Amino acid sequence: MANENTYNALYVEEVADKQFSQNIRERSINDLPDNDLLIDVHYSSLNFKDALSASGNKGVTKNYPHTPGIDAAGVVIADKSGTFNVGDEVVVFGYDLGMNTSGGLGQRISIPANWAVKCPATLSLKESMIYGTGGLTAALCVEKIERMGATPADGPVAVTGATGGVGSFSIALLKRLGYSVTAFSGKPEQSEHLTDIGASAVLHRDVINEVNERPMGRGLWAHGIDTLGGDYLANLLKQIKPGGGVSACGLAASPFFNLNVFPFITRGVSLLGVDSVNIPLTAKQHIWQRVATDMKLDNLAELAEEIRLEQVPEYLQRFIDGNVVGRYVVNLKK
């Protein structure tokens, strides 16, 4: 950075109708919104929503130029609200960060104070961003099936989109808590990686759809975590054992699915929606504490690749191309 009044950020501009550029630019602190909390961002991470924002998806980001980044971890520079002290380590995910408010792919963010929580003492800023929205969403998915009564004794849990950020963290967290996991992926070359992070079995994702047009399939999995949506979600629900539940948190395949009511009324299967954006701050504090304690993973470094801000445009393209493996944590201090 040139001085304390400027910072570097990913800067997305609409250079022509429906054409967008991504560059690393030096920005002025005065370009940030006038909010209570100013944070020096040390780490961020990459998510599918960041790739959509950076590619000009106006369903995510309405106005450009813009700096994406729905995750941020850093140190408080100033807080007009008095909620935090200068020097406090904080984490931010969800709400409007990186969507229509300048996000964590910049070295400074200015946000409402009630968007941030203190970083748990047992997590470093880097570790918190290895989790990030992907890891926190996975934790919420696991907790959702727990709250409906899931236990490891019930049998295997199916995880779709297994090589993605949410999928890979779901596998690792379930393994940490004692569950057997069947991982589904369209990348057979990643089978060994999925086994290494905790999957007991790895199957091609198309296996789920072998039930095809049949109204029901055999009950094969006790519970599920679905990151894909579409036919994968519909057909997974058809193959959940009686009394099981599926946490649904993604739409990588499709936001729509076609399903009859048989899984719900003949097997008592539950479809459990998971949102990580607008949940109450108390719920965010709670899930952060869980990933810092009973859900803290010993192999965090194996689940993420660290990159520099300058590499972000290249890595965001991986989300668009469907080539994501695990999590990508961005070091904004390099």
Side-chain angles (χ1 to χ4, degrees):
M1 290 184 294
N3 57 63
E4 63 182 12
N5 294 316
T6 62
Y7 65 99
N8 292 327
L10 177 66
Y11 194 64
V12 181
E13 295 179 275
E14 188 168 12
V15 294
D17 185 39
K18 298 182 180 179
Q19 293 182 29
F20 295 82
S21 66
Q22 302 174 24
N23 298 286
I24 308 303
R25 294 275 184 86
E26 185 174 285
R27 306 286 293 150
S28 168
I29 294 292
N30 295 329
D31 295 330
L32 292 170
D34 183 18
N35 287 313
D36 285 338
L37 188 60
L38 181 64
I39 297 170
D40 176 21
V41 181
H42 288 211
Y43 290 93
S44 184
S45 69
L46 301 186
N47 301 277
F48 186 60
K49 192 175 286 186
D50 301 323
L52 293 177
S53 175
S55 60
N57 186 312
K58 294 193 176 180
V60 175
T61 300
K62 295 181 175 62
N63 298 306
Y64 294 84
H66 175 65
T67 294
I70 64 173
D71 290 337
V75 175
V76 172
I77 297 173
D79 181 10
K80 292 182 285 188
S81 75
T83 305
F84 299 98
N85 296 316
V86 173
D88 281 350
E89 293 189 343
V90 294
V91 290
V92 189
F93 78 106
Y95 304 116
D96 192 51
L97 184 72
M99 297 176 66
N100 297 291
T101 300
S102 292
L105 294 176
Q107 295 170 320
R108 296 284 190 272
I109 57 173
S110 176
I111 61 169
N114 61 3
W115 287 8
V117 298
K118 281 192 176 182
C119 186
T122 55
L123 284 181
S124 68
L125 291 175
K126 180 179 177 179
E127 287 174 330
S128 74
M129 286 295 98
I130 293 177
Y131 283 100
T133 291
L136 269 291
T137 301
L140 289 165
C141 286
V142 173
E143 188 172 70
K144 205 70 177 273
I145 62 171
E146 284 182 332
R147 285 183 173 178
M148 63 153 289
T151 69
D154 297 341
V157 179
V159 177
T160 68
T163 60
V166 177
S168 59
F169 261 84
S170 295
I171 292 167
L173 290 170
L174 287 163
K175 175 68 174 178
R176 170 81 170 81
L177 296 171
Y179 290 84
S180 173
V181 182
T182 300
F184 290 92
S185 172
K187 303 181 180 73
E189 70 277 9
Q190 295 295 330
S191 295
E192 184 177 350
H193 167 68
L194 294 173
T195 301
D196 288 345
I197 64 174
S200 302
V202 181
L203 300 175
H204 196 281
R205 65 187 180 192
D206 290 345
V207 170
I208 297 174
N209 288 337
E210 288 178 357
V211 71
N212 202 6
E213 299 298 323
R214 282 177 283 168
M216 290 280 281
R218 291 187 299 124
L220 300 177
W221 302 288
H223 308 283
I225 294 176
D226 176 69
T227 71
L228 299 176
D231 290 341
Y232 297 102
L233 174 57
N235 289 322
L236 177 58
L237 286 161
K238 294 177 186 178
Q239 298 172 84
I240 296 296
K241 293 180 179 181
V246 174
S247 294
C249 65
L251 43 71
S254 174
F256 305 103
F257 71 103
N258 183 27
L259 180 65
N260 60 67
V261 299
F262 291 136
F264 310 118
I265 65 173
T266 65
R267 288 186 183 160
V269 172
S270 297
L271 175 57
L272 309 167
V274 174
D275 165 49
S276 62
V277 177
N278 293 308
I279 60 174
L281 194 63
T282 53
K284 293 189 177 186
Q285 291 168 329
H286 164 76
I287 204 66
W288 273 115
Q289 287 304 317
R290 285 207 66 184
V291 301
T293 52
D294 68 307
M295 283 188 176
K296 187 174 183 183
L297 299 171
D298 297 325
N299 60 335
L300 272 176
E302 299 171 20
L303 295 169
E305 178 181 351
E306 182 177 318
I307 65 173
R308 303 183 312 277
L309 182 60
E310 290 75 15
Q311 296 173 276
V312 165
E314 171 196 347
Y315 277 72
L316 286 177
Q317 188 60 41
R318 296 188 182 188
F319 288 85
I320 302 300
D321 296 339
N323 293 326
V324 172
V325 177
R327 296 275 295 152
Y328 304 116
V329 61
V330 184
N331 186 337
L332 283 96
K333 290 299 183 180
K334 279 191 174 181

